[in-house]
Every structure is written in structure tokens, then in C-alpha cells.
Amino acid sequence: AACGGGDDKKDSQTTLEKVKEEKTLVVGTNAGYYPFEMFDKNGKMIGYDMDVAQAIADKMGAKLEVKQLGFETLIPSLNAGKVDLVLAGMTITDERKKTVEFADSYYTTGQAVMVGKDSTAKEIKDIDKKGNKVAVQIGTTGAIVAAKEIKNATVQEFEDFPTAAMAAQQGKVAAVVYDEPAIQIYELQNKGKVVKLDGLLAADDLGIAVKKGDTETVDFINEYLKEFKGSKEEKELQKKWFNN
Ligand code: ARG
């Protein structure tokens, strides 16, 4: 919409155009999903996603601004134009695809189960008992999978992963269901206090979310991901954050 009114222009502008013009990329995320997004001791958001976000910002010629939001508010914030992209280890699902676009998946993982050290559960199926509570983060695929796969126990929602994991650690709930990388790191950092059970409840392909209909910005990110996947940069990031 050349020469259109201000609002006219805003409506038709892609995120990519807007970011290039404003020279700032605003990324929405939710801390506590190790090693993708977490606060360092100085209160700076760091992690695998933040390095990917920085690379995308660089490619767009913009500086990166990160917004910490509740996980369940990320998609509404994207649709309201409060953030330009969501990088939050967000699983690509058909349900979410109704309201946002996803670029190609950049990481594959799944839903793991972790219990406190005093738990008698040896296998995932052992936690599925009447009277048991299973902790999840509100709005996540873990919440959906727990409700679906764990029939007898009840699901209890927590605001973020660290508080859900702590509830399991303290035996306030029977287990926590969450993405495997975060559970693995939590277990490493709390050795002897929690145990990750073997196996996964479901698979998750993580993707970067873009405003609905903005296929130009999706294409731009996919171009970046094509260069990134299998590159030296990807290997370095995996080594840095996953130590492999
Ligand atoms: N992959 C899961 C989902 O999409 C959990 C992601 C949680 N991410 C976060 N930044 N807290 O529902």
C-alpha cells in the first residue's frame, strides 16, 4: 500500500518489512525452558533460542529485544502485534496452526516424565494412579499430552517449568510432564533429588511462530534455517547449550 495512510501501511506491512524499518526485532519467549530460554545471574535472557533469535535479528539488520511473557500469552501477544516472533521452544501443532504460522521445525524432542527421589514409580505407567497429581506448565503440549495419556491421575497446571519441577521434587505432585531437554538439565542440576523416567509420551517438533498469513516472513526465516541446519553455527550452538 504505497502512499497509503499510516494504518493502511501498518496493516499490509509484513513483520519483516516492519522490523527492517524499525531496526528492532521483538521476540516473545518464556523463561525456564532449559537450555532454550532462561535468565542468567544478571537477569539477561540467554539460551539456544536467544542465539537463534540473535542470528535472525542480524539477518534482518535489526537489534534484538526479548520480552518475557507467560507461555500461554505468547500466541495472543503475537496476534496483538506486541511481539514480532515467538521463539519459545514452541511445538508445531495443528491447533496452534489455526492462529499462527510456523517456520520449519528447528529442533525435535518429546515429552518426558520426572519424579521426586522418594517416588516409587519406576516406569511412566506407574504414575497413572487415582489420587495422583501430575504437574505441567499451563498452555503447553505437556499439559495436553498428560491429560490424554494419563487417565487416572489429575493434571495440575503451573505457571512455569521450574515451579512445576519443584512440586515434583518436593513430592507435592507425583510427577512432572515436560519437554525432555528441560527435564534432563533439571535432573543434572538437582542430582539425587529427582529422577527422569525412561521413555517419552509424545514427540515435539519445535518451531518459530509468525503472525498468521505472514508467509513472506516465514519464507525469510526458512531461508535462514536452511543455511543454519547442518552448519558450523548449529554445531557450535548445540555444543554450547547441550554439550554435545
Ligand atoms: N514444547 C512445549 C510446547 O510447545 C513446551 C514449550 C515451553 N516453552 C517455554 N519457553 N516455556 O507446548
Side-chain angles (χ1 to χ4, degrees), residues 28-34 36-37 49 68-71 74 86-93 96 102 109-111 137-144 159-162 178-179 182 204-207:
T29 195
N30 171 255
Y33 181 53
Y34 324 121
F36 291 87
E37 37 265 345
D49 277 344
Q68 154 70 13
L69 295 164
F71 187 76
L74 289 168
V86 170
L87 268 106
M90 188 174 272
T91 304
I92 301 169
T93 69
R96 289 173 180 160
F102 280 103
T109 181
Q111 294 303 308
Q137 182 182 20
I138 188 164
T140 58
T141 51
I144 295 165
E159 188 48 39
D160 58 19
F161 172 64
Y178 205 66
D179 294 35
D204 289 68
D205 289 320
L206 310 183

Side-chain angles (χ1 to χ4, degrees), residues 9-10 12-28 53-65 78 81-87 209-211 214 216-218 220-221:
K9 185 178 162 198
K10 256 203 174 134
S12 59
Q13 216 179 18
T14 67
T15 297
L16 180 60
E17 287 166 343
K18 177 180 157 275
V19 168
K20 282 186 167 168
E21 192 178 292
E22 292 173 0
K23 296 193 166 46
T24 306
L25 172 69
V26 183
V27 163
Q54 185 61 60
I56 293 171
D58 290 346
K59 200 173 155 72
M60 289 179 171
K63 72 172 190 12
L64 176 66
E65 189 186 313
L78 180 63
K82 289 182 189 150
V83 299
D84 299 316
L85 301 176
V86 170
L87 268 106
V210 178
K211 199 173 183 156
D214 189 358
E216 282 169 58
T217 304
V218 171
F220 182 90
I221 293 171

